[in-house]
Amino acid sequence: MVLHGRMNFFIFLLVLLLVSGCVEPQQTPTANISETEDTFFAGRELTSIKEQRNNAIKGTQFINEATYTLQVTGMVNKSLNLTYEELLALPVADRFVRMDCVEGWGFDARWTGVTLSSIFNDSGLQPGAKNVIFYCADGYSTSLELDYLRGNDIMLAYRLNNVTLPSDRGFPLQLVAEGRYGYKWAKWITHIEVTDQSYEGFWESRGYSNLAILEKRGFLPF
């Protein structure tokens, strides 16, 4: 009976690993050596980039700044193809936000970028729009509710701890999904689609919550 119980426990752990981000290769992010990384912001200590853990489904994606565009399509009044320079020219958001992974780790950082509200001000939104899908260069995708994105001024970050977002952290853009688990923090974003339909992304289609709201008790969003 004891042996049987131990086998069940190990099977449970194996299943947990298979459905979690733990099976994905972890990378050690690197900051741009030509820039000086902030260590404090708004009176709070920041986790250095080299100490921030990072997961990705296909490893680091390297995107050419000169040819990059962010597509904005779907239920918008005007589709957009924003260059990196055009994104930098939009109103700047700058704030302290903690990222928490479902694996139980997290880090504190300064994020600088452009809010999705600023982008939607340019594109306009059609009546009935409810959700926004984020597509990434590595094939990853996820979605979030439009009301959450606009109500919380959620941003797409292009700087981390006051240095240009490193490639291994999602250059040129990482979604800063404040108050949601890390699998909603999409990296290497190339396309945003506004829709009235629900959408399950990479991890959500594998059983993770589509809301991914941080909980005070535990960290598994099932």
Side-chain angles (χ1 to χ4, degrees):
M1 292 295 291
V2 174
L3 179 60
H4 180 71
R6 288 179 177 175
M7 288 181 64
N8 286 340
F9 176 72
F10 287 125
I11 291 172
F12 168 78
L13 287 179
L14 178 60
V15 171
L16 181 61
L17 286 172
L18 289 175
V19 299
S20 77
C22 295
V23 298
E24 304 301 341
Q26 290 186 353
Q27 305 167 68
T28 301
T30 54
N32 189 327
I33 59 175
S34 65
E35 299 177 290
T36 302
E37 182 182 354
D38 283 355
T39 56
F40 284 87
F41 178 67
R44 302 182 186 183
E45 186 174 4
L46 306 176
T47 307
S48 68
I49 293 175
K50 68 179 181 180
E51 294 176 351
Q52 297 174 11
R53 295 175 65 181
N54 183 30
N55 288 343
I57 63 170
K58 293 183 180 178
T60 298
Q61 305 296 299
F62 296 94
I63 295 178
N64 188 331
E65 174 185 328
T67 59
Y68 171 80
T69 60
L70 174 67
Q71 288 185 289
V72 183
T73 65
M75 296 182 67
V76 294
N77 297 329
K78 178 179 66 174
S79 295
L80 302 176
N81 279 285
L82 298 169
T83 66
Y84 185 69
E85 291 300 320
E86 288 173 332
L87 288 163
L88 296 184
L90 291 172
V92 177
D94 190 23
R95 66 178 71 113
F96 174 96
V97 183
R98 177 175 176 81
M99 198 286 286
D100 286 288
C101 180
V102 297
E103 297 168 5
W105 54 267
F107 61 84
D108 300 320
R110 176 183 181 180
W111 303 91
T112 307
V114 55
T115 65
L116 285 152
S117 291
S118 291
I119 293 174
F120 295 145
N121 285 342
D122 288 347
S123 69
L125 293 168
Q126 296 178 9
K130 294 181 179 179
N131 295 300
V132 179
I133 306 170
F134 299 88
Y135 301 99
C136 307
D138 61 349
Y140 191 83
S141 65
T142 191
S143 67
L144 285 161
E145 320 91 85
L146 180 60
D147 286 346
Y148 156 77
L149 296 172
R150 299 178 74 187
N152 294 279
D153 275 336
I154 298 303
M155 78 168 81
L156 299 175
Y158 45 70
R159 294 183 71 81
L160 171 60
N161 287 354
N162 205 30
V163 301
T164 301
L165 192 68
S167 291
D168 44 17
R169 284 316 315 260
F171 179 87
L173 295 174
Q174 175 166 16
L175 179 63
V176 182
E178 186 172 2
R180 305 297 175 100
Y181 282 106
Y183 63 92
K184 290 292 185 181
W185 293 53
K187 301 186 288 288
W188 308 295
I189 298 170
T190 58
H191 181 194
I192 295 172
E193 180 185 1
V194 181
T195 180
D196 59 358
Q197 303 295 310
S198 62
Y199 176 86
E200 293 185 345
F202 182 87
W203 284 117
E204 296 88 342
S205 64
R206 290 162 171 79
Y208 276 38
S209 165
N210 212 8
L211 293 177
I213 298 173
L214 286 172
E215 300 289 348
K216 292 183 179 180
R217 298 179 181 178
F219 57 84
L220 294 178
F222 304 113

